[in-house]
Amino acid sequence: MQINATYTYTSFVAVGDSFTEGMSDELPDGSYRGWADLLAARLAARAPGFRYANLAVRGKLIGQIADEQAAPAAAMGADLVTLVGGLNDVLRPKCDVDLVCARLEEAAARLAPSCRRLVLMRSPGRQGPVMERFRPRMEQLFGFIDDLAGRHGALVVDLFGAEVLGDPRLWAEDRLHLNAEGHRRVAEAVWQALGHEASFDWQEPLPPLVRPGWAARRTSDARFAREHLVPWIGRRLTGRSSGDGRPPKRAVLTPYGGDAEPAEPLS
């Protein structure tokens, strides 16, 4: 799809789950920045009075995104809307991928007519046994996203196909969310997909990995299980979500004056 890079976006609404909320690109005050904030800052630098809203909430399933975020986002009438969701669904033990796709289409059908540019994504996946177990579901979802984009004139940013975003060094300790460097690269990927001049190669591989020793790996695995895996299993067993009762990150489309400087690259 040919993108007009001369177009200046004056408003941006981000819709989705923890990936779009920005976990785990943590700032010193404990809040999360993330790729959407970084992208908004760069767009704002080109458009005085630029407005930004981020309706994403961690833990949301695609049905919740469609029911709770799509209509408010469409009502804002922003130039640019990003819609990313469904991965929380397909990573659950039981999932009707066809239903996930249907709910994603509902959201896209509501959002596409409301904006100048709708952006969808093939979400990144961390290399390892979890991704391999769920790869067939992910590939089914991402294949549907390509078809969905064609029907609604949307742009697809392929993060799943970028080998570097599978590198564990771009993921946080919880092994579910990107770290600051991962989000920096995603922001650049979307920036370039919108037709803007590249500031760096977001797909550039990291330096060769020096594999930690056996003891260090076991210590890391134990910490991951204690601090992240066990609480996650507990929420699944009790039907709770990390986003229960949590409001959207930035619920109102308002002028954005955030920091335009992205995180330092990983070396």
Side-chain angles (χ1 to χ4, degrees):
M1 180 181 296
Q2 186 68 33
I3 303 299
N4 181 6
T6 64
Y7 184 82
T8 299
Y9 292 97
T10 62
S11 52
F12 167 34
V13 178
V15 173
D17 51 31
S18 58
F19 174 64
T20 300
E21 184 183 345
M23 296 175 72
S24 289
D25 181 6
E26 190 169 357
L27 295 171
D29 65 0
S31 64
Y32 293 113
R33 179 172 50 186
W35 67 265
D37 286 6
L38 291 171
L39 178 64
R42 295 180 70 177
L43 294 171
R46 299 169 61 99
F50 180 86
R51 296 175 300 154
Y52 170 50
N54 189 324
L55 305 185
V57 178
R58 66 194 69 174
K60 292 299 183 181
L61 302 174
I62 188 57
Q64 295 171 307
I65 293 171
D67 292 340
E68 300 168 11
Q69 298 180 29
M76 292 177 183
D79 294 340
L80 174 66
V81 175
T82 58
L83 167 62
V84 188
L87 204 59
N88 283 336
D89 300 78
V90 301
L91 293 179
R92 293 198 168 205
K94 295 182 179 180
C95 173
D96 183 341
V97 181
D98 290 334
L99 178 58
V100 172
C101 293
R103 297 310 311 272
L104 182 62
E105 177 136 35
E106 286 180 31
R110 184 179 289 271
L111 291 168
S114 75
C115 62
R116 184 180 186 276
R117 173 63 63 204
L118 175 64
V119 176
L120 308 174
M121 295 188 196
R122 292 160 56 96
S123 303
R126 184 183 187 275
Q127 295 171 0
V130 173
M131 188 174 79
E132 292 310 312
R133 176 183 176 187
F134 294 104
R135 181 183 290 275
R137 291 182 183 178
M138 295 169 70
E139 291 181 343
Q140 180 182 345
L141 173 63
F142 296 154
F144 176 81
I145 286 173
D146 291 339
D147 294 337
L148 180 63
R151 289 194 293 276
H152 293 284
L155 178 67
V156 177
V157 181
D158 184 12
L159 305 174
F160 184 70
E163 184 175 353
V164 68
L165 290 181
D167 192 308
R169 289 172 290 177
L170 294 184
W171 293 74
E173 287 188 358
D174 65 5
R175 306 182 185 181
L176 289 174
H177 302 103
L178 294 172
N179 58 23
E181 173 65 5
H183 282 281
R184 186 181 80 98
R185 290 180 181 241
V186 171
E188 179 68 18
V190 182
W191 175 260
Q192 292 181 23
L194 291 172
H196 297 298
E197 184 177 355
S199 60
F200 66 94
D201 180 7
W202 66 272
Q203 296 195 65
E204 181 181 4
L206 298 179
L209 175 64
V210 178
R211 186 173 174 80
W214 182 88
R217 296 199 304 273
R218 297 293 78 76
T219 299
S220 176
D221 289 344
R223 183 171 60 249
F224 161 72
R226 180 178 65 254
E227 297 180 4
H228 303 289
L229 181 59
V230 171
W232 182 86
I233 292 173
R235 290 194 298 272
R236 297 289 79 75
L237 292 176
T238 58
R240 294 178 294 115
S241 167
S242 56
D244 287 347
R246 184 176 294 274
K249 179 176 183 176
R250 188 181 175 97
V252 180
L253 188 64
T254 53
Y256 185 67
D259 181 5
E261 292 298 324
E264 291 297 320
L266 186 67
S267 60

Coordinates of all heavy atoms in Angstrom, one line a residue, residues 147-178:
D147 N -5.9 -10.3 5.6 CA -7.2 -10.2 4.8 C -8.0 -9.0 5.3 O -8.7 -8.3 4.5 CB -7.9 -11.5 4.9 CG -7.2 -12.7 4.3 OD1 -6.3 -12.4 3.4 OD2 -7.5 -13.8 4.6
L148 N -8.1 -8.9 6.6 CA -8.9 -7.8 7.2 C -8.5 -6.4 6.7 O -9.3 -5.6 6.4 CB -8.8 -7.9 8.7 CG -9.6 -6.9 9.6 CD1 -11.1 -7.0 9.3 CD2 -9.3 -7.1 11.0
A149 N -7.2 -6.3 6.7 CA -6.6 -5.0 6.2 C -7.0 -4.7 4.8 O -7.4 -3.5 4.4 CB -5.1 -5.0 6.3
G150 N -7.0 -5.7 3.9 CA -7.4 -5.5 2.5 C -8.9 -5.1 2.4 O -9.2 -4.2 1.6
R151 N -9.8 -5.6 3.3 CA -11.2 -5.3 3.2 C -11.5 -3.9 3.7 O -12.4 -3.3 3.3 CB -12.0 -6.3 4.0 CG -12.1 -7.7 3.4 CD -13.1 -8.5 4.1 NE -12.8 -8.9 5.4 CZ -12.0 -9.9 5.8 NH1 -11.5 -10.6 4.9 NH2 -11.8 -10.2 7.1
H152 N -10.6 -3.4 4.6 CA -10.9 -2.1 5.2 C -9.9 -1.0 4.9 O -9.9 0.1 5.5 CB -11.0 -2.3 6.8 CG -12.2 -3.1 7.2 ND1 -13.5 -2.6 7.2 CD2 -12.3 -4.4 7.6 CE1 -14.3 -3.6 7.6 NE2 -13.6 -4.7 7.9
G153 N -9.0 -1.3 4.0 CA -8.1 -0.3 3.6 C -7.1 0.1 4.7 O -6.6 1.2 4.7
A154 N -6.8 -0.9 5.5 CA -5.9 -0.6 6.7 C -4.5 -1.0 6.3 O -4.2 -1.7 5.4 CB -6.4 -1.4 7.9
L155 N -3.6 -0.5 7.1 CA -2.1 -0.7 7.0 C -1.7 -1.8 8.0 O -2.2 -1.7 9.1 CB -1.4 0.6 7.2 CG 0.2 0.5 7.2 CD1 0.7 0.2 5.8 CD2 0.7 1.9 7.7
V156 N -0.9 -2.8 7.6 CA -0.5 -3.8 8.5 C 1.0 -3.6 8.7 O 1.8 -3.5 7.8 CB -0.7 -5.2 8.0 CG1 -0.1 -6.3 8.9 CG2 -2.2 -5.5 7.8
V157 N 1.4 -3.6 10.0 CA 2.8 -3.5 10.4 C 3.2 -4.9 10.9 O 2.7 -5.4 11.9 CB 3.1 -2.5 11.5 CG1 4.6 -2.5 11.9 CG2 2.6 -1.1 11.1
D158 N 4.1 -5.6 10.1 CA 4.5 -7.0 10.4 C 5.6 -7.0 11.4 O 6.8 -7.0 11.1 CB 4.8 -7.7 9.2 CG 5.1 -9.2 9.4 OD1 4.8 -9.7 10.5 OD2 5.6 -9.9 8.5
L159 N 5.3 -7.2 12.7 CA 6.3 -7.3 13.8 C 6.6 -8.8 14.0 O 7.7 -9.1 14.4 CB 5.8 -6.7 15.1 CG 5.3 -5.2 15.0 CD1 4.7 -4.8 16.3 CD2 6.5 -4.3 14.6
F160 N 5.7 -9.6 13.7 CA 5.9 -11.1 13.9 C 6.9 -11.6 13.0 O 7.7 -12.5 13.3 CB 4.5 -11.8 13.7 CG 4.6 -13.3 14.0 CD1 4.7 -13.8 15.3 CD2 4.5 -14.2 12.9 CE1 4.8 -15.2 15.5 CE2 4.6 -15.6 13.2 CZ 4.7 -16.0 14.5
G161 N 7.0 -11.0 11.8 CA 8.0 -11.5 10.8 C 9.3 -10.9 11.0 O 10.3 -11.3 10.2
A162 N 9.5 -10.0 12.0 CA 10.8 -9.4 12.2 C 11.6 -10.3 13.2 O 11.3 -10.3 14.4 CB 10.6 -8.0 12.8
E163 N 12.6 -10.9 12.7 CA 13.4 -11.9 13.5 C 13.9 -11.2 14.8 O 13.9 -11.8 15.9 CB 14.5 -12.5 12.7 CG 15.3 -13.6 13.5 CD 16.3 -14.2 12.6 OE1 16.4 -13.9 11.4 OE2 17.1 -15.0 13.1
V164 N 14.4 -10.0 14.7 CA 15.0 -9.4 15.9 C 14.0 -9.2 17.0 O 14.4 -9.3 18.2 CB 15.6 -8.0 15.5 CG1 14.5 -7.0 15.2 CG2 16.5 -7.5 16.6
L165 N 12.7 -9.0 16.8 CA 11.8 -8.8 17.8 C 11.5 -10.1 18.6 O 10.7 -10.1 19.6 CB 10.5 -8.2 17.3 CG 10.6 -6.7 16.9 CD1 9.3 -6.2 16.4 CD2 11.1 -5.9 18.0
G166 N 12.0 -11.3 18.1 CA 11.9 -12.5 18.8 C 13.0 -12.7 19.8 O 13.0 -13.6 20.6
D167 N 14.1 -11.8 19.7 CA 15.2 -11.9 20.6 C 14.8 -11.7 22.0 O 14.2 -10.7 22.4 CB 16.3 -10.9 20.1 CG 17.6 -11.1 20.8 OD1 17.7 -11.3 22.0 OD2 18.7 -11.2 20.0
P168 N 15.1 -12.6 22.9 CA 14.7 -12.5 24.3 C 15.3 -11.2 25.0 O 14.7 -10.7 26.0 CB 15.3 -13.7 25.0 CG 15.4 -14.7 23.9 CD 15.8 -13.9 22.7
R169 N 16.3 -10.6 24.5 CA 16.9 -9.4 25.0 C 16.0 -8.2 24.8 O 16.3 -7.1 25.4 CB 18.3 -9.2 24.5 CG 19.3 -10.2 25.0 CD 20.7 -10.0 24.3 NE 20.6 -10.5 22.9 CZ 21.6 -10.4 22.0 NH1 22.7 -9.9 22.4 NH2 21.4 -10.9 20.8
L170 N 15.0 -8.3 23.9 CA 14.1 -7.2 23.7 C 12.8 -7.4 24.5 O 11.9 -6.6 24.4 CB 13.8 -7.1 22.2 CG 14.9 -6.7 21.3 CD1 14.5 -6.5 19.9 CD2 15.6 -5.4 21.8
W171 N 12.8 -8.3 25.4 CA 11.6 -8.6 26.2 C 12.0 -8.4 27.7 O 13.1 -8.6 28.2 CB 11.2 -10.1 26.0 CG 10.7 -10.2 24.6 CD1 11.4 -10.3 23.4 CD2 9.3 -10.3 24.2 NE1 10.6 -10.4 22.3 CE2 9.3 -10.4 22.7 CE3 8.1 -10.2 24.9 CZ2 8.1 -10.4 22.0 CZ3 6.9 -10.3 24.1 CH2 6.9 -10.4 22.7
A172 N 10.9 -8.1 28.5 CA 11.1 -7.8 29.9 C 11.2 -9.1 30.7 O 11.0 -10.2 30.1 CB 9.8 -7.0 30.4
E173 N 11.4 -9.0 32.0 CA 11.6 -10.2 32.8 C 10.4 -11.1 32.8 O 10.5 -12.3 33.1 CB 12.0 -9.8 34.2 CG 13.4 -9.3 34.3 CD 13.8 -9.1 35.8 OE1 12.9 -9.3 36.7 OE2 15.0 -8.7 36.0
D174 N 9.2 -10.5 32.6 CA 8.0 -11.3 32.6 C 7.8 -12.2 31.4 O 6.9 -13.0 31.3 CB 6.7 -10.5 32.8 CG 6.4 -9.5 31.7 OD1 7.2 -9.6 30.6 OD2 5.5 -8.7 31.8
R175 N 8.6 -12.0 30.4 CA 8.7 -12.8 29.1 C 7.4 -12.7 28.3 O 7.1 -13.4 27.4 CB 9.0 -14.3 29.4 CG 10.3 -14.4 30.2 CD 10.6 -15.9 30.5 NE 11.8 -16.0 31.4 CZ 12.3 -17.1 31.8 NH1 11.8 -18.3 31.4 NH2 13.4 -17.1 32.6
L176 N 6.5 -11.7 28.7 CA 5.3 -11.5 28.0 C 5.3 -10.1 27.2 O 4.5 -9.9 26.3 CB 4.1 -11.5 28.9 CG 3.7 -12.9 29.5 CD1 2.6 -12.7 30.5 CD2 3.2 -13.8 28.4
H177 N 6.1 -9.2 27.7 CA 6.0 -7.8 27.2 C 7.4 -7.3 26.8 O 8.4 -7.7 27.3 CB 5.5 -6.8 28.3 CG 4.1 -7.2 28.8 ND1 3.9 -7.8 30.0 CD2 2.9 -7.1 28.2 CE1 2.6 -8.1 30.1 NE2 2.0 -7.6 29.1
L178 N 7.4 -6.5 25.8 CA 8.7 -5.9 25.3 C 9.3 -4.9 26.4 O 8.5 -4.3 27.1 CB 8.5 -5.1 24.0 CG 8.1 -6.0 22.8 CD1 7.7 -5.0 21.6 CD2 9.2 -6.9 22.4

